[in-house]
């Protein structure tokens, strides 16, 4: 949550289809986008305070993050005369509503991302496999199936990869934005530093995670639904990220060459 306050790949995907509908004009995106991240940072700090308040003798409270958050906030509301049971029920419903809406958005974004992996450029013909994979029903089933597999492994067993996946996605978004701005003749230099930093940090984290998983698998004490699935996801994330960087890099080089060629052309005089 704290990381999302700085930069978030998930938020950047959601904003393309959700936040854009709440904006009256393009200039509003600066206020709304920056303001949202500020609020997210405050939420991160509040969550840390709540987790610390719920701790006992230096040990984190037992239960899932949702249970810890709901229980601690419910204890705060009891100071205003609300019973612990009623407060816990209200907070659990609020957190559950947040989770359900998030899962809805994730499901749709996952489905569209899967379809885009097999889409072709305008004018090109799709083969049979591509036609099947871009079908919205088939793509939805595949997306939900892998989500179901992750649930079997347990929430806390897939959580270690979430931070890397989310922040790596933000690096990919910055790269795509750089290409967009460059190819449309706009300034993009302000994205270079955060783009490189986010990519290097998240790729390093994924490599370290994959190495730790290889050690665990080599020891023989591992499960496919936990360590095996994490390793597959880590490798898939790295391969997809490198593929995006390669294609975006080609577009950037092409844009630079096009700009240099245009600048080298003699100007017309009257």
């Amino acid at each position: 949550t704290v990381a999302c306050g700085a930069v978030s790949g998930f938020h950047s995907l959601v904003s393309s289809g959700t936040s854009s509908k709440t904006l009256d004009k393009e200039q509003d995106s600066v206020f709304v986008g920056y303001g949202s991240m500020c609020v997210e940072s405050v939420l991160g700090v509040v969550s840390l305070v709540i987790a610390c308040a719920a701790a006992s003798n230096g040990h984190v409270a037992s239960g899932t993050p949702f249970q810890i958050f709901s229980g601690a906030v419910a204890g705060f509301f009891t100071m205003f005369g609300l019973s612990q049971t009623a407060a816990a029920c209200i907070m659990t419903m609020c957190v559950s509503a947040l989770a359900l809406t998030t899962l809805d958005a994730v499901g749709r974004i996952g489905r569209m991302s899967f379809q885009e992996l097999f889409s072709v450029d305008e004018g090109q013909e799709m083969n049979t496999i591509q036609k099947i994979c871009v079908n919205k029903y088939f793509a939805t089933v595949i997306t939900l199936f892998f989500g179901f597999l992750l649930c079997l492994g347990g929430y806390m067993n897939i959580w270690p990869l979430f931070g890397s996946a989310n922040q790596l996605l933000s690096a990919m978004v910055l790269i795509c934005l750089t290409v967009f701005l460059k190819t449309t003749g706009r300034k993009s230099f302000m994205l270079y530093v955060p783009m490189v930093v986010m990519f290097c940090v998240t790729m390093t984290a994924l490599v370290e995670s994959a190495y730790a998983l290889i050690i665990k698998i080599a020891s023989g004490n591992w499960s496919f639904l936990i360590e095996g699935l994490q390793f597959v996801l880590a490798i898939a994330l790295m391969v997809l990220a490198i593929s995006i960087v390669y294609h975006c890099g080609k577009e950037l080089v092409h844009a630079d060459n096009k700009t240099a060629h245009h600048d080298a052309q003699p100007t017309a005089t009257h």
Side-chain angles (χ1 to χ4, degrees):
T1 304
V2 177
C4 287
V7 60
S8 171
F10 173 74
H11 284 78
S12 62
L13 288 181
V14 174
S15 66
S16 62
T18 304
S19 298
S20 59
K21 295 180 176 64
T22 66
L23 304 178
D24 180 50
K25 52 185 179 295
E26 186 176 350
Q27 288 81 357
D28 292 343
S29 61
V30 178
F31 177 79
V32 173
Y34 184 76
S36 299
M37 291 298 95
C38 288
V39 174
E40 185 91 15
S41 297
V42 173
L43 176 61
V45 175
V46 171
S47 299
L48 286 175
V49 172
I50 290 173
C52 293
S56 177
N57 296 324
H59 298 285
V60 179
S62 60
T64 65
F66 284 171
Q67 291 172 334
I68 296 173
F69 186 86
S70 300
V73 176
F76 170 75
F77 281 113
T78 57
M79 295 188 295
F80 296 92
L82 197 64
S83 69
Q84 176 73 25
T85 302
C89 180
I90 293 173
M91 286 308 305
T92 302
M93 289 177 61
C94 291
V95 175
S96 298
L98 170 65
L100 288 173
T101 54
T102 302
L103 288 174
D104 172 63
V106 168
R108 283 184 290 164
I109 292 172
R111 187 258 299 174
M112 291 188 294
S113 298
F114 179 82
Q115 289 176 297
E116 288 182 354
L117 287 174
F118 300 92
S119 62
V120 297
D121 294 332
E122 187 176 353
Q124 294 182 344
E125 188 71 23
M126 286 188 182
N127 56 40
T128 304
I129 296 178
Q130 288 174 323
K131 289 180 180 179
I132 294 175
C133 291
V134 298
N135 179 273
K136 61 182 179 180
Y137 301 107
F138 179 80
T140 300
V141 170
I142 292 296
T143 303
L144 296 180
F145 173 73
F146 282 104
F148 175 71
L149 286 182
L150 293 176
C151 291
L152 294 179
Y155 171 76
M156 294 306 296
N157 291 321
I158 62 173
W159 183 254
L161 285 179
F162 172 78
S164 297
N166 184 43
Q167 306 316 110
L168 178 62
L169 184 57
S170 68
M172 299 298 99
V173 171
L174 290 172
I175 292 173
C176 293
L177 284 175
T178 301
V179 174
F180 169 75
L181 293 175
K182 189 72 174 179
T183 54
T184 54
R186 309 182 192 184
K187 296 179 180 179
S188 60
F189 65 89
M190 62 283 189
L191 298 179
Y192 293 163
V193 173
M195 173 182 68
V196 173
V197 170
M198 292 305 302
F199 179 76
C200 293
V201 171
T202 50
M203 284 296 286
T204 301
L206 281 173
V207 170
E208 291 182 347
S209 298
Y211 179 74
L213 290 170
I214 291 175
I215 298 299
K216 186 74 177 292
I217 294 173
S219 67
N221 184 24
W222 65 288
S223 170
F224 175 77
L225 286 178
I226 300 177
E227 289 82 9
L229 201 56
Q230 286 185 25
F231 180 73
V232 171
L233 287 174
I235 297 299
L237 286 171
M238 287 188 285
V239 171
L240 289 173
I242 293 173
S243 174
I244 292 174
V245 170
Y246 171 74
H247 289 289
C248 288
K250 286 177 61 178
E251 290 295 328
L252 284 176
V253 171
H254 177 71
D256 285 334
N257 292 336
K258 186 177 180 180
T259 302
H261 177 72
H262 180 269
D263 293 340
Q265 294 294 322
T267 57
T269 57
H270 295 280

